[in-house]
Amino acid sequence: MSRSDRPVQAFVPGHVTAFFSPRWHDDPARTGAIGAGITLSDGVTVRAEPADETAITLNGRGIEMAPVEAALAELDATVNVMADSPLPVGAGFGVSGALTLGAALATNHVSDVGCTENELVSIAHRAEVRASTGLGDVVAQARGGVPIRLEAGDPDHGKLDGVPGPARIEYLAFGELSTSDVITGDTEALSAAGERALSGLTERPSLQRVFELGRRFAREADLMTPRVEAVIGDVRSAGGDATMAMLGETVVALGSGLSDAGYDAQSCTTCPGGAALEWAPPG
Amino acid sequence: MSRSDRPVQAFVPGHVTAFFSPRWHDDPARTGAIGAGITLSDGVTVRAEPADETAITLNGRGIEMAPVEAALAELDATVNVMADSPLPVGAGFGVSGALTLGAALATNHVSDVGCTENELVSIAHRAEVRASTGLGDVVAQARGGVPIRLEAGDPDHGKLDGVPGPARIEYLAFGELSTSDVITGDTEALSAAGERALSGLTERPSLQRVFELGRRFAREADLMTPRVEAVIGDVRSAGGDATMAMLGETVVALGSGLSDAGYDAQSCTTCPGGAALEWAPPG
């Protein structure tokens, strides 16, 4: 019996990828992306309760999210998934990965499935890969901090390291970019740029380098939009450090970089720990 | 430049091993223990500041701790290490591992060494192994939660999983047992008992099983003291679940197991995340 009388919820940090290089394989557990990014104290809180039919809400509104449904199917559970998040969807914060991993953690608990943490991370990772909604968010969100993805894939196949934190982070989201369109398109230049960035980070690992290499990657992979480029330029002119979220029309800055440059940005911190179950607040 | 103006400290959770089986190798990075345990929200907070000579204090008192000194030597840094903890030393809470990992994290930051998280965990793990003060605490403390150590060794060689949390934990420490005496003695029966317990947990992973298999291990490995056995019996009679900390004359109980049985115990929770740097409180 792993259930407790006290209600629990899953918290999964947001994750902004700074640079990446996809790794494809017939087996979704071995598919993913190497690269690096930043997990955020702003994330997704997920509760689950057994139900006759599966339903998913985000901030009180019914949504459809293929990887969540796939993960619940693999757990053989029908539940009501209730998620809340301050993060925008489709803007490069890994909300789909967070919702999928959070739903897996919460459902495993309420439905007494008996999976380990690695099994739940693998289920969520494979569901994201199959749905083309993400390649590396889930394993990064499971670790927390500032994850370096050295080898791609689920916990049985991937390998992670991390840049020690902590740091204040600011972000400003303009709009969506389709992860699916980019990762299912021609990724040769992107893939090479991501590999160069990862080599650059492992040579000299620091949070500043994550931002510097992320900017270079976004330009080399031809993913930077004019609006994002202009804002990053403003942050740099004000003496700050910023890069683009992969994949969203979103700028992420170190410290108070965006507000120092005059932008009205959201602020949070790097998330010291990874995804975990926690007790739900009363009521 | 990875230093920030705002002072930071490392927090490393306490870790109670429920059962283990040592794995020896000429290379300390490949040495360690498989097994399982529980990380605690009660842990060790460590600050470091550059100094002319290395000195270590725990709760304001100067101490000598061989693995901390070895880790600092590997980082080629001389610092003043200031640690605080509510946990007793030598009683099976992994205080030496926590202090070593915390000192490595904090020193890497203040002395701008530039190591990644895995490198710091490896340095602390190898220092503990060489000093015979622990075999598996450091990697468990780096992960947090309820770690299952599937393969022994540092992050490049070991493999971890986890039982999803959260849980309230109580503990009661009677006194010290020497980790060094046990792990450098005849460990054949202990090793086999630890392997059986790990198989039992991976077959059916749950927090209750960690306690159940821990009790069986302590008896089979002939490590349970009469006092610990009596207290565990009282907790079980009151309907609770408890086991012995490896290695200390310490009882750890799930939920309110010890207080339900009439003992005046310390209480905390499982620690959702692993060791991390955090901002130091002002002042």
Side-chain angles (χ1 to χ4, degrees):
Chain A
M1 241 273 300
S2 66
R3 296 171 67 175
S4 143
D5 291 321
R6 200 164 157 194
V8 308
Q9 61 192 22
F11 173 77
V12 185
H15 177 247
V16 171
T17 293
F19 57 81
F20 71 106
S21 181
R23 288 292 175 271
W24 303 106
H25 195 282
D26 289 343
D27 180 0
R30 293 172 188 266
T31 298
I34 58 171
I38 294 161
T39 65
L40 306 177
S41 57
D42 280 0
V44 181
T45 302
V46 186
R47 288 168 297 142
E49 56 185 27
D52 291 336
E53 276 181 43
T54 286
I56 309 165
T57 60
L58 176 59
N59 298 330
R61 287 187 165 194
I63 56 163
E64 295 198 350
M65 203 170 258
V68 176
E69 284 153 33
L72 296 177
E74 186 164 345
L75 292 170
D76 198 18
T78 53
V79 292
N80 207 346
V81 173
M82 294 152 288
D84 287 283
S85 179
L87 297 170
V89 178
F93 292 97
V95 171
S96 65
L99 223 157
T100 307
L101 179 54
L105 280 162
T107 302
N108 180 66
H109 183 83
V110 295
S111 298
D112 212 7
V113 182
C115 285
T116 64
E117 291 176 340
N118 287 4
E119 287 165 351
L120 296 169
V121 173
S122 177
I123 287 168
H125 172 78
R126 289 183 280 109
E128 274 259 286
V129 166
R130 285 201 185 94
S132 296
T133 43
L135 288 172
D137 286 326
V138 169
V139 294
Q141 289 163 326
R143 179 180 177 102
V146 179
I148 309 172
R149 284 170 275 133
L150 297 167
E151 289 169 26
D154 77 353
D156 271 345
H157 303 95
K159 188 179 170 191
L160 296 170
D161 197 350
V163 178
R168 185 178 188 274
I169 299 291
E170 288 188 343
Y171 60 88
L172 183 57
F174 296 111
E176 302 188 11
L177 286 179
S178 166
T179 296
S180 175
D181 286 355
V182 171
I183 69 177
T184 60
D186 178 5
T187 57
E188 204 176 318
L190 178 155
S191 189
E195 285 168 25
R196 279 192 299 276
L198 183 57
S199 296
L201 183 64
T202 53
E203 270 165 30
R204 199 148 50 85
S206 77
L207 200 48
Q208 283 75 11
R209 290 277 284 169
V210 171
F211 282 82
E212 178 191 330
L213 294 162
R215 284 195 299 274
R216 193 184 302 170
F217 168 81
R219 287 191 194 107
E220 289 179 359
D222 201 20
L223 288 166
M224 213 178 262
T225 65
R227 188 156 51 172
V228 163
E229 177 117 49
V231 175
I232 291 176
D234 290 343
V235 173
R236 301 274 292 150
S237 298
D241 225 331
T243 193
M244 178 180 167
M246 299 294 150
L247 286 156
E249 203 175 0
T250 295
V251 177
V252 184
L254 195 51
S256 52
L258 277 160
S259 48
D260 290 349
Y263 290 94
D264 187 16
Q266 302 298 311
S267 77
C268 62
T269 67
T270 52
C271 188
L277 290 174
E278 60 188 22
W279 282 298
Chain B
M1 241 272 301
S2 66
R3 295 171 68 175
S4 142
D5 292 320
R6 200 164 156 195
V8 308
Q9 61 192 22
F11 174 77
V12 185
H15 176 247
V16 171
T17 293
F19 56 81
F20 71 105
S21 181
R23 289 292 175 269
W24 303 106
H25 194 283
D26 289 343
D27 180 1
R30 294 173 186 267
T31 299
I34 58 172
I38 294 160
T39 65
L40 305 177
S41 58
D42 280 0
V44 181
T45 301
V46 186
R47 286 168 298 143
E49 56 184 29
D52 291 337
E53 276 182 43
T54 287
I56 310 165
T57 60
L58 175 59
N59 298 330
R61 285 187 166 194
I63 56 163
E64 295 197 350
M65 203 169 259
V68 176
E69 284 154 33
L72 296 176
E74 186 164 346
L75 291 171
D76 198 18
T78 52
V79 291
N80 208 345
V81 173
M82 295 152 287
D84 287 283
S85 179
L87 297 170
V89 178
F93 293 97
V95 172
S96 65
L99 223 157
T100 307
L101 179 54
L105 280 162
T107 302
N108 180 66
H109 183 83
V110 296
S111 299
D112 212 6
V113 182
C115 286
T116 64
E117 290 175 342
N118 286 5
E119 287 165 350
L120 296 169
V121 173
S122 177
I123 287 168
H125 172 79
R126 289 183 280 109
E128 274 259 287
V129 167
R130 285 202 185 95
S132 296
T133 43
L135 287 172
D137 287 326
V138 170
V139 294
Q141 288 163 328
R143 179 181 177 102
V146 180
I148 310 172
R149 283 170 275 133
L150 297 167
E151 289 169 26
D154 77 353
D156 272 343
H157 303 94
K159 188 178 171 192
L160 296 170
D161 197 350
V163 178
R168 185 178 189 275
I169 300 291
E170 288 188 343
Y171 60 87
L172 184 56
F174 295 111
E176 302 187 12
L177 287 179
S178 165
T179 295
S180 174
D181 286 356
V182 172
I183 68 177
T184 59
D186 178 4
T187 57
E188 203 176 320
L190 177 154
S191 191
E195 283 168 28
R196 280 193 298 274
L198 183 57
S199 297
L201 184 63
T202 53
E203 269 166 32
R204 199 148 50 84
S206 77
L207 200 47
Q208 284 73 11
R209 290 276 285 169
V210 172
F211 282 82
E212 179 191 330
L213 294 162
R215 284 194 299 274
R216 193 183 303 170
F217 168 81
R219 287 190 193 108
E220 290 179 359
D222 200 20
L223 288 166
M224 213 179 261
T225 65
R227 186 155 53 171
V228 164
E229 178 118 49
V231 176
I232 291 176
D234 290 343
V235 174
R236 302 273 291 150
S237 299
D241 225 332
T243 192
M244 178 180 166
M246 298 294 148
L247 287 153
E249 203 174 2
T250 295
V251 177
V252 184
L254 196 51
S256 53
L258 278 159
S259 47
D260 289 349
Y263 289 96
D264 185 17
Q266 303 297 311
S267 77
C268 61
T269 66
T270 52
C271 189
L277 289 175
E278 59 188 22
W279 282 300

